[in-house]
Amino acid sequence: MNLFRSAALALASTLILVVSLSAADYKVPQKDLGFPTYKNAPPGKQMSGQHAPATTPALSPEEAQKKFTLPPGFEIRLFASEPEVVNPVAMTWDERGRLWVVELYEYPLGAKPGERGRDRIKILEDTDGDGRADKVTVFADGFSLATGILVGHGGVFLGQAPNVLFLQDTNAPALAGIGAFQKANKQTTLLTGFGLEDRHELLNGFTWGPDGQLYMTHGVFTRADVKDAQNPATPSVRMDAAVARYNVQTRKFEVYADGTSNPWGVDFDRAGNAFLSACVIDHMFHMAPGGIYVRQGGQPMFPYAYQLLPSIVDHRHKMAAYAGIQVYLGDQWPAEHYGTIFCGNLHDNAVHQDTLTPNGSTFKSSFKQDFVRANDGWFMPVSQQVGPDGALWIMDWYDKYPCYQNARADPEGVDREHGRIWRVVYTGNEKGKPVPSRPERNMDFGKLTSAQLVAQLAHANIWQRKMAQRVLNERRDDKVMGLLQEQAFDEIWLPLEPPNQFSGSLSLVTKRTTLSSKLFSLWTLHSSGYLADDQLPKAAADKEPAVRTWAARLIGERQLGTPGDLAVLRKLATDSEPIVRVAVATACRQLTSGSLTVNTSPQREPNAPELAEILAAVIAATPTATDLLLNHLIWMAAEPLVAKDPKFAFALLARANVRTAPLAGTLAFKTMRRVCDLQNPAQLDVALDFLAALPATDALLPFALNGLVDGQKGKALKPAKPTEAVLQPLLTSPREDVARFARQLGALWGDAGAMQASLALVNDAKAPLDERLKAAQTARQLKNDAAREALMKAIAPGNPEPLVLEAIAGLSQLGGQTTAEAIFAEWKNFSPAARRTAAETLASRGNWASQLLSELEQKRILASDIPAATIRTLTRSEADYGMLAKRAAAIFGRVRDANADKLKLIAAKKEMILNAKGQPDLKAGHEVAKKICFTCHKLHGEGADIGPDLTGVGRSSLDALLANIIDPNQIIGAGYEMVEITTKDDRSVSGRMVENTDTRVRLLSAGP
C-alpha cells in the first residue's frame, strides 16, 4: 500500500495562461483529449529511483528488528508478524486492549467479479503479558479492498468502498460487550457511495473524534457521493480529498474539512485540533472545521471560499509518501516527546517526528528527527497509534514495492506473505526492561462502573481517556452527569476508586483536575447528550483557552442558536486568543448553513443582527490580517447570509468597529465576488450603493473594487441602474489602485470614457508594465473591435514580451477576420515563447487553424515552431470534416504515444550522462527548467501551479528523473487531465480545469 503520486501534466511551455469562460460561453461539455488517466508500465517493467522495488530480500522479523535505528533509550519490539498478520492496513483496539487488524489481501485490483474476497479482520491478543500476540482470532472475512476499521457502539465499523459496514457478533453475551466478540454473524451497510477509482486513496483512517463522531480521511483522485444506505432518499454528500465524519447516533455524514491530497489517517492533539499528513504536496496540515485547503488536483466541493488554506510545514522531506499520523499523548515516554507528532514515510522507510508550535490560530510543524529508521527497503509504516501501554505502535505493511505505481504495473507482485506490528517503548538505561502491551492482562473497560470510567477520563495516557469516553457515550448513564460536570468545570480532587483490576492505573488519576480531564469531561457531556445550557457559560469563563474554544465549538455542534448560546458567542468573540475567535466563527457558520463546508444557503432563519454583532466583534478584535485561517473562517461564517442577501455584509462592513479593522478588506473583496457569482443585477445595484456611500479615501474601496473586477472575469454582469455617477469620482481618484479598478469596471460595464482610458493604457509605453498587463486583461473581456485593435497593436515589435504574450492570448478570445493576418505579419518578430502562444491561439479556431496550416505548407512558418500540445490539437481536430487533421498529419506525421521509443530515448540519455566528461552546468540547467518545467510545475517554491509540485517527486535517482522528464504523462491523476472546451463562438481552449461553477469555467494552461 502506497500513498504517493508522481503525476505530470501534458503541458509544457513558457506562459501560464488563465482562461476564464462564463457558463454561457461554451456549448459542449469539456471532453477528455484522449490522454489515459493511467498508462501502466509493460508487464515486468518497474519504476526506478524512489519508486524502485527493494533490491534486498525480505528479512525475518528478528533480522529486521536488529537493523532499526532509534533515539537513545528507545527500543522497537515486535507484537505480531507473519503468519499471525499479513498485509495489515488498519488497526484499532477494543475495551479489553485486544488489537483488531484489517488484512488487505485484495490490493490493488480487488476480488474478481463473482469471487469471494480474501480481506479479513483479525483479533490479536497478548494473553500472557510478554508483549507478543499469542492468540489470533479471525473475526470476519470475505471482504474486498477493506481499508478502515473502528470498534464501538456494539459492533465493528469497517470501511470497504463503496460502503461503510457495521459488523456484530450476536452470539456474544449481551452484557459482555465487544470485548467478548469472536466471530461476526451480522452485517449492516450504514453508508454507501465511496469511490473506487484509485485503489490507494480509498476511505481510511477511522478514529473517534473529541465530539464522539467517527472520523475518516479520503483521497483526492477517488470520488465519493455518500448516502445513508438505510435512507437512500436523503441528499448525498460529495467529496474527494477531505476529512469527513459520521455521527453514529444521528446517522449524519458530512465533510469536516476539504482539501490536501491523499491523507491516510487523522489524529487530534490534546486540545482537540485535527491533523493529517498528505503525499506529494506539503506533508502536514492542521485541518480546522470548515476549512478548505490547497489540494493536489481538482476543485473544492464548495466553490465560494475564494481562498485555499496552506499547510503548516516549514520543511519538506526529499522522499514524501506519507501514511499514518499520531500526536503522541502517551505516558510511557519522557515528557519531552509529549505533544510531538509522528507520520510514516513509505518511500523513506522511516517514521518522522515533528514538533507543533502555535502560529496565530493555527500551528507550525517543524522537523525534529527521523524517530524510526528501518534501514530496510521493505519497511512500510502505514499507521502509527498510541496503544494501551502508552507506547507508539507501528503497523508495517512490509512489501518490496514502495509505490502504488508498482502495484499497477505488477499486481501479482504485491507481497501476500508479510506484515508486522511493532511497539516503540522507552526503557532508558534499562535495556530489555519488560513493558507489557496493556496495563493488565484482564483489563476490560466494559466492566468498569460509570464512575470508574469518569475517573479514567483523567488518565495520563490518551488511550484510556478515549476508550473511557467511547464507552460512556454508548452507556449513557445519567447517574454520572454530576461527576462529569464537576470534573469539567470545578477544580477538585478526583476520588480514588475502590481497588479493582485497574487499581494500578486508577492511582494515576488521584490528583487535581487537569486540562485533559476537563476537556474529555466536557466532550463526554456533549457526545453523551448531557450538556446543559447553563454549562456553556462556565466553559466560556474557564481560564484555559482550549476550554473556551470548545464552549464556542459545541454551540456550533448543537446548532440550537438559543439566546443563551448567542450571548456566550458574543462574549467569546472578543477573546484575546485567536483560537477562541476561530471557534466563534466556526459556530456562526454552523448556525446558519447547518454544515461546515458544503451548504450555500441558510437552513434556518438565524438572528442575522445578532450574528452580525458577533462577527463584527471577532473582526474588530483581530489586530492583523495575516491570520489566514481566521480570515477564511470569518468569511465562511458570513457567506451563507451574504448568498441570501448581500445587505448583511454591507451592513456589517458599515459598522464603525469593522470599517477600519485589518480583516475588513478581505471581507469586502469576497463579498463582492459572491455578489457577482449570484448573477443578480439587483444585488449588484446594492453593491453599487455600498460603493457610492464609501468616502473617496476609504481603505475598503480598493478591496471592494478588486472583488467586483475579479467577479466579472467569468460571466460579466452589469448593474441594472446607471453606473456613471458612482464610477466618475473613482476614475479621477488620486489613488492609482482605485482609479485602475474603476477603469476596468467601467470598461466592462460599457462606460465609454473608462473603456477608452483602459484601452489606451494597453499601448502606453510610459505606463508601468503591470498596469498595461491588467489593461490588456480587461481588453480581452470586452470582446469588441476597439479592444481587438488595441491588442493587435500590442503585438508589434518593441513591446515587452509579457505584454505581447498577454495580447496574443487575448486575441484568441476576441476573434475577428483580420486577427490571424496580424499575427502572421508579426511572426518573424516573435520570440520563441510568443510563437508558441501564437500557435495555440491560431489553433483555437477552425478558420485560423486552416490559415496556420497553409503557412506551414508554404514553409513560411517552420513546423519546429509549433509546440507538441498544439500539434496534438491540430492532428485530432474534427473541423472541416476532418480535413484539418489530415493536413496536419501530412505536415507533422502521425501523433502517437511511443512507449518503446521513449524507453530507447531514456536509455540513450542515461548513457550520455553517465559517460559525460566534466562538470554539469547547473546554472544553464536551471535556466532550461525555468523556461520548460517551471511554467507548469513548482520545485522548492519556484514555478507555477499548473501541474503537480515536483519537490517531493521522482528525482531521487537518474532513472526516476529521466523517466519523469521524457515520459511525464505516464500517470496523470484525476484533476490534472487536459480537457478541451468548445465555445459558442467556435473557439477551442484546453488546459487543466480548476474551477467549474454556474458563472464560469477556469482553465490553467501552459500556453504552449
Side-chain angles (χ1 to χ4, degrees), residues 130 267 361 365 395 410 444 462 521 523 612 645 660 816 818 912:
D130 66 352
D267 193 35
S361 63
S365 171
M395 186 169 60
D410 183 15
D444 190 343
I462 185 68
S521 298
W523 295 336
D645 186 352
T660 58
T818 60
M912 178 194 75

Side-chain angles (χ1 to χ4, degrees), residues 63-103:
E63 292 171 326
Q65 188 172 15
K66 294 176 184 176
K67 292 181 71 67
F68 281 106
T69 53
L70 294 95
F74 288 90
E75 297 179 23
I76 192 163
R77 297 180 179 177
L78 186 70
F79 178 75
S81 65
E82 62 274 4
E84 289 92 357
V85 61
V86 177
N87 295 117
V89 71
M91 64 180 181
T92 190
W93 285 268
D94 65 17
E95 296 93 320
R96 286 171 47 192
R98 300 187 303 174
L99 185 70
W100 295 61
V101 176
V102 175
E103 295 183 326

Side-chain angles (χ1 to χ4, degrees), residues 314-330:
D314 63 2
H315 65 289
R316 298 195 74 173
H317 294 281
K318 179 181 178 182
M319 294 177 156
Y322 297 96
I325 190 164
Q326 181 72 47
V327 181
Y328 182 77
L329 300 175

